[in-house]
Amino acid sequence: MKQLKYILAGILFGIIMTKSEAVSWYRIQEMFRFQSFHMYGIIGTAILLGVTAVSLIKRFHLKDSTGQPIVFQDKHPGFRKYLFGGIIFGLGWALTGSCPGPMFVNLGNGYPAMALVIAGALLGTYLYGVLKDKLPH
Amino acid sequence: MIELIKQPWPWYFSGAMIVLIMLMLIFFGKSFGFSANLRTICSMAGAGKKHSFFNFNWKGQVWNLMFLLGSIIGGFIATRYLSTPAPMELSNQTVADLKELGIGFNGQLNPDQLFSLKALTNPGNLVMLLIGGFLVGFGSRYAGGCTSGHAISGLSNLQLPSLIAVIGFFLGGLMMTFLIMPLIF
Protein backbone atom coordinates (compact mmCIF):
# COMPACT_ATOMS: atom_id res chain seq x y z
CA MET A 1 0.00 0.00 0.00
CA LYS A 2 2.91 2.36 0.64
CA GLN A 3 3.67 2.08 -3.08
CA LEU A 4 0.29 3.56 -3.99
CA LYS A 5 1.51 7.13 -3.83
CA TYR A 6 4.16 6.35 -6.45
CA ILE A 7 1.56 4.85 -8.77
CA LEU A 8 -0.57 7.97 -8.31
CA ALA A 9 2.44 10.24 -8.95
CA GLY A 10 3.17 8.17 -12.07
CA ILE A 11 -0.43 8.55 -13.27
CA LEU A 12 -0.17 12.30 -12.82
CA PHE A 13 3.16 12.25 -14.69
CA GLY A 14 1.61 10.31 -17.59
CA ILE A 15 -1.27 12.78 -17.80
CA ILE A 16 1.10 15.78 -17.66
CA MET A 17 3.41 14.37 -20.34
CA THR A 18 0.43 13.65 -22.62
CA LYS A 19 -1.46 16.90 -22.08
CA SER A 20 1.73 18.96 -22.50
CA GLU A 21 2.30 17.04 -25.77
CA ALA A 22 5.89 16.39 -24.67
CA VAL A 23 5.27 12.73 -25.60
CA SER A 24 4.66 13.75 -29.19
CA TRP A 25 7.16 12.63 -31.82
CA TYR A 26 6.02 15.64 -33.86
CA ARG A 27 6.70 18.08 -31.01
CA ILE A 28 10.24 16.76 -30.63
CA GLN A 29 10.84 17.20 -34.36
CA GLU A 30 9.40 20.72 -34.13
CA MET A 31 11.75 21.45 -31.24
CA PHE A 32 14.91 20.25 -32.98
CA ARG A 33 13.88 22.25 -36.06
CA PHE A 34 13.40 25.39 -33.90
CA GLN A 35 9.92 25.85 -35.36
CA SER A 36 7.98 26.44 -32.15
CA PHE A 37 8.58 27.77 -28.67
CA HIS A 38 6.36 25.10 -27.09
CA MET A 39 8.97 22.55 -25.88
CA TYR A 40 11.48 25.27 -24.97
CA GLY A 41 8.76 26.95 -22.93
CA ILE A 42 8.02 23.73 -21.06
CA ILE A 43 11.66 22.90 -20.33
CA GLY A 44 12.53 26.53 -19.58
CA THR A 45 9.65 26.95 -17.12
CA ALA A 46 10.51 23.67 -15.44
CA ILE A 47 14.17 24.63 -15.00
CA LEU A 48 13.38 28.14 -13.76
CA LEU A 49 10.86 26.91 -11.18
CA GLY A 50 13.04 23.88 -10.37
CA VAL A 51 16.10 26.02 -9.60
CA THR A 52 13.97 28.26 -7.37
CA ALA A 53 12.37 25.33 -5.54
CA VAL A 54 15.65 23.48 -4.97
CA SER A 55 17.39 26.59 -3.66
CA LEU A 56 14.48 27.25 -1.28
CA ILE A 57 14.58 23.64 -0.03
CA LYS A 58 18.30 24.03 0.66
CA ARG A 59 17.93 27.50 2.18
CA PHE A 60 15.26 26.43 4.66
CA HIS A 61 16.68 22.92 5.27
CA LEU A 62 13.33 21.30 4.52
CA LYS A 63 12.62 17.71 5.48
CA ASP A 64 10.90 14.99 3.47
CA SER A 65 7.73 13.12 4.42
CA THR A 66 9.70 10.66 6.57
CA GLY A 67 11.28 13.49 8.55
CA GLN A 68 14.71 13.09 6.96
CA PRO A 69 16.51 16.25 5.80
CA ILE A 70 16.31 16.57 2.00
CA VAL A 71 19.75 16.18 0.45
CA PHE A 72 20.64 16.62 -3.21
CA GLN A 73 23.33 14.33 -4.58
CA ASP A 74 25.91 16.07 -6.73
CA LYS A 75 26.53 14.38 -10.09
CA HIS A 76 29.95 12.75 -10.42
CA PRO A 77 32.42 15.17 -11.96
CA GLY A 78 33.31 14.35 -15.54
CA PHE A 79 33.06 15.53 -19.08
CA ARG A 80 33.37 12.82 -21.69
CA LYS A 81 30.68 10.48 -20.41
CA TYR A 82 28.19 13.30 -20.21
CA LEU A 83 28.99 14.63 -23.66
CA PHE A 84 29.29 11.27 -25.46
CA GLY A 85 26.38 9.71 -23.62
CA GLY A 86 24.33 12.83 -24.18
CA ILE A 87 24.99 12.85 -27.93
CA ILE A 88 24.07 9.17 -28.27
CA PHE A 89 20.90 9.80 -26.26
CA GLY A 90 20.04 12.81 -28.44
CA LEU A 91 20.37 10.76 -31.64
CA GLY A 92 17.81 8.30 -30.34
CA TRP A 93 15.58 11.01 -28.84
CA ALA A 94 15.17 12.77 -32.19
CA LEU A 95 14.69 9.51 -34.12
CA THR A 96 12.05 7.95 -31.87
CA GLY A 97 10.68 11.21 -30.44
CA SER A 98 10.83 9.59 -27.02
CA CYS A 99 12.98 9.82 -23.99
CA PRO A 100 12.56 6.99 -21.45
CA GLY A 101 9.42 8.35 -19.75
CA PRO A 102 7.37 9.03 -22.89
CA MET A 103 8.18 5.57 -24.29
CA PHE A 104 6.02 4.10 -21.56
CA VAL A 105 3.44 6.88 -21.49
CA ASN A 106 2.94 6.35 -25.22
CA LEU A 107 2.15 2.68 -24.65
CA GLY A 108 -0.80 3.93 -22.61
CA ASN A 109 -1.58 6.46 -25.33
CA GLY A 110 -2.23 3.60 -27.72
CA TYR A 111 1.01 3.25 -29.71
CA PRO A 112 1.93 -0.44 -29.37
CA ALA A 113 5.08 -0.16 -31.51
CA MET A 114 6.62 1.77 -28.61
CA ALA A 115 7.21 -1.65 -27.08
CA LEU A 116 9.96 -2.11 -29.63
CA VAL A 117 11.56 1.21 -28.69
CA ILE A 118 11.45 0.04 -25.06
CA ALA A 119 13.02 -3.30 -26.03
CA GLY A 120 15.78 -1.39 -27.83
CA ALA A 121 16.30 0.84 -24.80
CA LEU A 122 16.66 -2.19 -22.52
CA LEU A 123 19.18 -3.73 -24.93
CA GLY A 124 21.09 -0.45 -25.02
CA THR A 125 21.11 -0.22 -21.23
CA TYR A 126 22.31 -3.81 -21.01
CA LEU A 127 25.09 -3.31 -23.55
CA TYR A 128 26.26 -0.21 -21.67
CA GLY A 129 26.53 -2.33 -18.53
CA VAL A 130 28.60 -4.90 -20.44
CA LEU A 131 30.93 -2.37 -22.08
CA LYS A 132 31.11 0.13 -19.22
CA ASP A 133 34.75 -0.46 -18.28
CA LYS A 134 35.92 -0.22 -21.88
CA LEU A 135 34.31 3.16 -22.58
CA PRO A 136 35.93 6.58 -21.99
CA HIS A 137 34.31 8.25 -18.98
CA MET B 1 -12.88 22.29 -14.74
CA ILE B 2 -12.79 19.03 -16.66
CA GLU B 3 -13.42 20.96 -19.89
CA LEU B 4 -10.38 23.12 -19.10
CA ILE B 5 -8.20 20.06 -18.41
CA LYS B 6 -9.30 18.55 -21.72
CA GLN B 7 -7.77 21.43 -23.69
CA PRO B 8 -4.10 21.15 -24.67
CA TRP B 9 -2.08 22.54 -21.77
CA PRO B 10 -0.08 25.74 -22.29
CA TRP B 11 3.70 25.42 -21.94
CA TYR B 12 3.97 27.40 -18.70
CA PHE B 13 1.39 25.22 -16.93
CA SER B 14 3.00 22.05 -18.30
CA GLY B 15 6.46 23.14 -17.15
CA ALA B 16 5.13 23.98 -13.67
CA MET B 17 3.39 20.60 -13.41
CA ILE B 18 6.60 18.74 -14.29
CA VAL B 19 8.34 20.55 -11.43
CA LEU B 20 5.45 19.52 -9.18
CA ILE B 21 6.22 15.86 -10.01
CA MET B 22 9.90 16.40 -9.20
CA LEU B 23 8.99 18.05 -5.89
CA MET B 24 6.51 15.29 -5.00
CA LEU B 25 9.22 12.66 -5.44
CA ILE B 26 11.73 14.76 -3.48
CA PHE B 27 9.16 15.13 -0.71
CA PHE B 28 8.71 11.33 -0.69
CA GLY B 29 12.49 11.08 -0.15
CA LYS B 30 13.21 9.96 -3.72
CA SER B 31 14.48 11.66 -6.86
CA PHE B 32 13.07 12.17 -10.33
CA GLY B 33 14.98 10.05 -12.86
CA PHE B 34 13.05 7.79 -15.19
CA SER B 35 15.80 5.95 -17.07
CA ALA B 36 17.03 4.29 -13.86
CA ASN B 37 14.07 1.95 -14.41
CA LEU B 38 15.73 0.49 -17.50
CA ARG B 39 18.72 -0.52 -15.42
CA THR B 40 16.44 -1.90 -12.73
CA ILE B 41 14.57 -4.08 -15.24
CA CYS B 42 17.88 -5.48 -16.59
CA SER B 43 18.88 -6.24 -13.02
CA MET B 44 15.56 -7.95 -12.25
CA ALA B 45 16.03 -10.09 -15.37
CA GLY B 46 19.25 -11.43 -13.88
CA ALA B 47 21.89 -9.26 -15.60
CA GLY B 48 23.59 -8.74 -12.23
CA LYS B 49 24.91 -12.30 -12.17
CA LYS B 50 27.28 -11.58 -15.04
CA HIS B 51 27.82 -7.84 -14.95
CA SER B 52 28.51 -5.85 -11.81
CA PHE B 53 26.77 -2.75 -13.19
CA PHE B 54 23.46 -4.54 -12.70
CA ASN B 55 24.41 -6.10 -9.38
CA PHE B 56 22.61 -3.84 -6.92
CA ASN B 57 19.63 -4.17 -4.67
CA TRP B 58 16.90 -3.41 -7.20
CA LYS B 59 14.21 -3.77 -4.54
CA GLY B 60 15.12 -0.23 -3.47
CA GLN B 61 13.89 0.89 -6.90
CA VAL B 62 10.46 -0.73 -6.77
CA TRP B 63 8.92 2.69 -6.07
CA ASN B 64 10.29 3.91 -9.43
CA LEU B 65 8.80 0.89 -11.24
CA MET B 66 5.46 1.76 -9.64
CA PHE B 67 5.93 5.28 -10.98
CA LEU B 68 6.58 3.75 -14.43
CA LEU B 69 3.44 1.63 -14.18
CA GLY B 70 1.45 4.71 -13.21
CA SER B 71 2.81 6.64 -16.19
CA ILE B 72 1.34 4.07 -18.61
CA ILE B 73 -2.03 4.32 -16.87
CA GLY B 74 -1.76 8.12 -16.92
CA GLY B 75 -1.17 8.11 -20.67
CA PHE B 76 -4.24 5.93 -21.13
CA ILE B 77 -6.42 8.17 -18.96
CA ALA B 78 -5.21 11.35 -20.67
CA THR B 79 -5.88 10.06 -24.18
CA ARG B 80 -9.10 8.24 -23.40
CA TYR B 81 -10.81 10.64 -20.99
CA LEU B 82 -8.97 13.97 -20.94
CA SER B 83 -8.64 14.86 -24.60
CA THR B 84 -10.72 16.54 -27.28
CA PRO B 85 -10.79 15.37 -30.91
CA ALA B 86 -9.24 18.69 -32.00
CA PRO B 87 -5.95 18.19 -33.91
CA MET B 88 -2.66 19.13 -32.26
CA GLU B 89 -1.45 22.62 -33.22
CA LEU B 90 1.83 21.70 -34.82
CA SER B 91 3.80 24.38 -36.67
CA ASN B 92 2.96 24.48 -40.39
CA GLN B 93 6.64 24.53 -41.22
CA THR B 94 7.18 21.27 -39.31
CA VAL B 95 4.24 19.68 -41.10
CA ALA B 96 5.73 20.71 -44.45
CA ASP B 97 9.27 19.55 -43.55
CA LEU B 98 8.05 16.15 -42.36
CA LYS B 99 5.88 15.75 -45.44
CA GLU B 100 9.06 16.06 -47.49
CA LEU B 101 10.49 13.17 -45.48
CA GLY B 102 7.34 11.20 -46.30
CA ILE B 103 5.79 11.42 -42.82
CA GLY B 104 2.23 12.70 -42.76
CA PHE B 105 0.47 14.56 -39.94
CA ASN B 106 -3.15 13.80 -39.08
CA GLY B 107 -3.42 15.83 -35.88
CA GLN B 108 -2.49 12.99 -33.51
CA LEU B 109 0.44 12.97 -31.06
CA ASN B 110 2.50 10.42 -32.99
CA PRO B 111 2.64 9.22 -36.60
CA ASP B 112 0.75 5.96 -37.08
CA GLN B 113 3.11 5.00 -39.86
CA LEU B 114 5.88 4.64 -37.26
CA PHE B 115 4.07 3.60 -34.07
CA SER B 116 0.83 1.77 -34.84
CA LEU B 117 0.39 -1.99 -34.72
CA LYS B 118 0.39 -2.02 -38.53
CA ALA B 119 3.75 -0.20 -38.56
CA LEU B 120 5.26 -3.35 -37.04
CA THR B 121 4.76 -5.17 -40.34
CA ASN B 122 7.35 -2.93 -41.98
CA PRO B 123 10.80 -4.50 -41.38
CA GLY B 124 12.67 -1.23 -41.99
CA ASN B 125 10.51 0.46 -39.38
CA LEU B 126 11.18 -2.34 -36.88
CA VAL B 127 14.92 -1.82 -37.24
CA MET B 128 14.51 1.95 -36.92
CA LEU B 129 12.50 1.64 -33.67
CA LEU B 130 14.94 -0.85 -32.16
CA ILE B 131 18.03 1.19 -33.04
CA GLY B 132 16.40 4.43 -31.88
CA GLY B 133 15.46 2.86 -28.56
CA PHE B 134 18.92 1.32 -28.27
CA LEU B 135 20.56 4.77 -28.63
CA VAL B 136 18.28 6.23 -25.96
CA GLY B 137 18.97 3.37 -23.54
CA PHE B 138 22.72 3.25 -24.13
CA GLY B 139 23.11 7.04 -24.12
CA SER B 140 21.07 7.66 -21.00
CA ARG B 141 23.07 5.13 -18.98
CA TYR B 142 26.40 6.35 -20.40
CA ALA B 143 25.45 9.93 -19.49
CA GLY B 144 24.04 8.77 -16.15
CA GLY B 145 20.54 10.11 -16.75
CA CYS B 146 17.94 11.25 -19.24
CA THR B 147 15.74 14.29 -19.66
CA SER B 148 14.23 13.92 -16.19
CA GLY B 149 17.48 13.16 -14.36
CA HIS B 150 19.67 15.72 -16.11
CA ALA B 151 17.53 18.39 -17.82
CA ILE B 152 15.03 18.71 -14.96
CA SER B 153 16.54 17.36 -11.71
CA GLY B 154 20.20 18.07 -12.53
CA LEU B 155 19.78 21.57 -13.95
CA SER B 156 17.42 22.47 -11.09
CA ASN B 157 20.33 21.65 -8.78
CA LEU B 158 22.74 23.65 -11.00
CA GLN B 159 24.87 20.64 -11.87
CA LEU B 160 27.54 21.30 -14.53
CA PRO B 161 27.60 17.61 -15.62
CA SER B 162 23.88 17.87 -16.36
CA LEU B 163 24.44 20.96 -18.48
CA ILE B 164 27.09 19.08 -20.48
CA ALA B 165 24.69 16.15 -20.91
CA VAL B 166 21.83 18.42 -22.03
CA ILE B 167 24.13 20.11 -24.57
CA GLY B 168 24.96 16.58 -25.75
CA PHE B 169 21.23 15.72 -26.02
CA PHE B 170 20.78 18.69 -28.34
CA LEU B 171 23.93 18.05 -30.39
CA GLY B 172 22.79 14.47 -30.98
CA GLY B 173 19.23 15.55 -31.70
CA LEU B 174 20.32 18.13 -34.25
CA MET B 175 22.64 15.65 -35.99
CA MET B 176 19.82 13.13 -36.23
CA THR B 177 17.25 15.67 -37.42
CA PHE B 178 19.34 17.45 -40.04
CA LEU B 179 21.99 14.95 -41.13
CA ILE B 180 20.74 11.41 -40.59
CA MET B 181 16.93 11.51 -40.90
CA PRO B 182 17.03 12.89 -44.46
CA LEU B 183 19.08 9.80 -45.37
CA ILE B 184 16.87 7.17 -43.72
CA PHE B 185 13.35 8.46 -44.44
Side-chain angles (χ1 to χ4, degrees), chain B residues 92-109:
Chain B
N92 289 330
Q93 191 56 50
T94 310
V95 176
D97 285 0
L98 292 174
K99 199 174 170 197
E100 261 183 58
L101 290 180
I103 297 168
F105 175 63
N106 65 0
Q108 302 297 307
L109 286 172

Side-chain angles (χ1 to χ4, degrees), chain A residues 44-81:
Chain A
T45 308
I47 294 172
L48 214 66
L49 291 175
V51 168
T52 311
V54 169
S55 67
L56 288 174
I57 291 171
K58 287 181 175 173
R59 173 94 170 67
F60 293 102
H61 307 286
L62 297 185
K63 295 188 165 61
D64 66 22
S65 59
T66 64
Q68 298 292 316
I70 294 171
V71 278
F72 293 93
Q73 299 283 345
D74 281 341
K75 307 277 180 193
H76 296 283
F79 181 76
R80 288 185 298 182
K81 70 170 177 166

Side-chain angles (χ1 to χ4, degrees), chain A:
Chain A
M1 241 21 230
K2 64 177 182 187
Q3 301 289 354
L4 186 66
K5 59 181 185 286
Y6 299 111
I7 299 181
L8 293 176
I11 291 175
L12 188 59
F13 174 71
I15 293 174
I16 292 166
M17 294 309 278
T18 306
K19 293 308 295 176
S20 68
E21 298 168 348
V23 295
S24 166
W25 184 91
Y26 293 110
R27 284 287 187 206
I28 303 302
Q29 273 297 305
E30 190 185 52
M31 172 181 79
F32 282 128
R33 291 167 191 274
F34 303 105
Q35 288 162 341
S36 164
F37 179 70
H38 185 79
M39 289 303 300
Y40 295 100
I42 293 175
I43 299 171
T45 308
I47 294 172
L48 214 66
L49 291 175
V51 168
T52 311
V54 169
S55 67
L56 288 174
I57 291 171
K58 287 181 175 173
R59 173 94 170 67
F60 293 102
H61 307 286
L62 297 185
K63 295 188 165 61
D64 66 22
S65 59
T66 64
Q68 298 292 316
I70 294 171
V71 278
F72 293 93
Q73 299 283 345
D74 281 341
K75 307 277 180 193
H76 296 283
F79 181 76
R80 288 185 298 182
K81 70 170 177 166
Y82 296 112
L83 186 65
F84 298 161
I87 289 173
I88 295 169
F89 175 92
L91 290 167
W93 188 17
L95 184 60
T96 63
S98 358
C99 33
M103 282 176 197
F104 290 91
V105 177
N106 271 325
L107 271 187
N109 283 329
Y111 297 96
M114 281 292 168
L116 222 65
V117 180
I118 294 169
L122 288 169
L123 278 175
T125 302
Y126 179 73
L127 198 74
Y128 170 75
V130 174
L131 297 179
K132 186 174 179 283
D133 297 331
K134 299 194 176 74
L135 296 167
H137 279 83

Side-chain angles (χ1 to χ4, degrees), chain A residues 19, chain B residues 2 5-6 73 75-84:
Chain A
K19 293 308 295 176
Chain B
I2 194 91
I5 292 173
K6 280 186 172 186
I73 303 170
F76 177 80
I77 294 174
T79 299
R80 190 88 164 71
Y81 302 108
L82 301 176
S83 297
T84 65

